[in-house]
């Protein structure tokens, strides 16, 4: 019972902070503006950990590696705590722990992308013009660009874009529509 509670707490707290760090990393990598509610939330909750690490881990070509390294360290700490809660601390050597942490970080990145796409789709149905639309577009634009090379628009509908259900009204010719008479 205590092990399950500890596992739940470690999973929840560490995963939340890891997702915040990954979101901060991708927002910086994709040049997403931080002057919005999401950006300010992420920066406020992660600054206490990121700022000291920046002194030791420099950025490379505009990419903030300190945030990514910190996310990796938190992922490794989470895995070590989970293994130690399950009394398998001797089974997890440092080498495999490092590798598993990298794989888990890649998995978390993929889950973050899927979550952002779901939120973007749901918000496009409920409220197409909202305050976080620019942030979500900036985070998913590189992913959509990969598919737009291979999937052309079909009948003025871009199947790769979140607004794919909307017709481009500038290309719709009203004179060709069937009349009701």
């Amino acid at each position: 019972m205590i092990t399950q509670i500890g596992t739940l707490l470690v999973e929840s707290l560490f995963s939340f902070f890891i997702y915040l760090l990954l979101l901060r990393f991708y927002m910086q990598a994709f040049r997403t503006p931080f002057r919005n509610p999401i950006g300010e939330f992420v920066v406020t909750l992660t600054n206490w950990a990121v700022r000291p690490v920046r002194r030791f881990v420099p950025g490379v070509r505009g990419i903030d590696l300190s945030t990514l390294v910190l996310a990796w360290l938190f992922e490794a700490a989470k895995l070590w705590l989970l293994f130690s809660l399950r009394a398998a601390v001797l089974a997890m050597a440092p080498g495999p722990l490092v590798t598993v942490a990298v794989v888990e970080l890649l998995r978390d990145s993929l889950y973050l992308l899927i979550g952002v796409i779901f939120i973007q789709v749901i918000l496009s149905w409920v409220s197409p013009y909202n305050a976080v639309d620019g942030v979500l577009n900036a985070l998913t634009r590189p992913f959509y660009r990969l598919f737009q090379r291979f999937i052309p628009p079909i009948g003025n509908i871009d199947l790769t874009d979140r607004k794919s259900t909307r017709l481009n009204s500038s290309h719709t010719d009203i004179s060709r529509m069937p009349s009701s008479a």
Side-chain angles (χ1 to χ4, degrees):
M1 180 78 170
I2 299 291
T3 304
Q4 292 174 342
I5 294 171
T7 301
L8 177 69
L9 286 174
V10 168
E11 277 278 341
S12 300
L13 296 175
F14 275 81
S15 294
F16 178 69
F17 194 67
I18 290 166
Y19 280 117
L20 285 175
L21 288 169
L22 285 174
L23 188 59
R24 180 177 177 141
F25 172 75
Y26 288 122
M27 286 177 75
Q28 289 173 344
F30 298 144
R31 308 284 189 252
T32 304
F34 280 91
R35 294 268 181 202
N36 56 62
I38 293 176
E40 290 176 1
F41 177 76
V42 168
V43 168
T44 302
L45 290 179
T46 58
N47 253 355
W48 66 271
V50 173
R51 281 195 173 181
V53 175
R54 279 191 181 155
R55 285 186 251 155
F56 306 108
V57 181
V60 176
R61 296 185 183 178
I63 296 177
D64 185 22
L65 290 181
S66 61
T67 307
L68 190 60
V69 167
L70 196 59
W72 173 74
L73 288 173
F74 270 91
E75 187 73 53
K78 178 182 87 169
L79 290 172
W80 185 82
L81 283 171
L82 289 174
F83 282 121
S84 64
L85 280 173
R86 295 181 184 129
V89 73
L90 298 176
M92 189 52 111
L97 182 70
V98 168
T99 306
V100 172
V102 169
V103 171
E104 288 292 315
L105 208 57
L106 291 172
R107 183 185 60 94
D108 289 344
S109 294
L110 184 63
Y111 285 169
L112 183 66
L113 174 67
I114 291 170
V116 168
I117 289 173
F118 278 148
I119 290 169
Q120 191 176 25
V121 167
I122 290 169
L123 284 178
S124 73
W125 294 337
V126 177
S127 173
Y129 306 104
N130 53 52
V132 296
D133 195 37
V135 175
L136 299 176
N137 281 336
L139 287 171
T140 56
R141 191 176 312 123
F143 175 71
Y144 286 146
R145 244 186 264 134
L146 290 172
F147 293 103
Q148 286 173 343
R149 292 182 198 160
F150 305 109
I151 303 173
I154 299 172
N156 297 329
I157 297 175
D158 185 7
L159 297 176
T160 60
D161 193 15
R162 71 173 180 83
K163 296 175 178 130
S164 63
T165 57
R166 298 185 195 145
L167 286 173
N168 189 350
S169 61
S170 63
H171 297 297
T172 305
D173 189 3
I174 296 176
S175 64
R176 294 184 188 201
M177 291 186 163
S179 63
S180 59

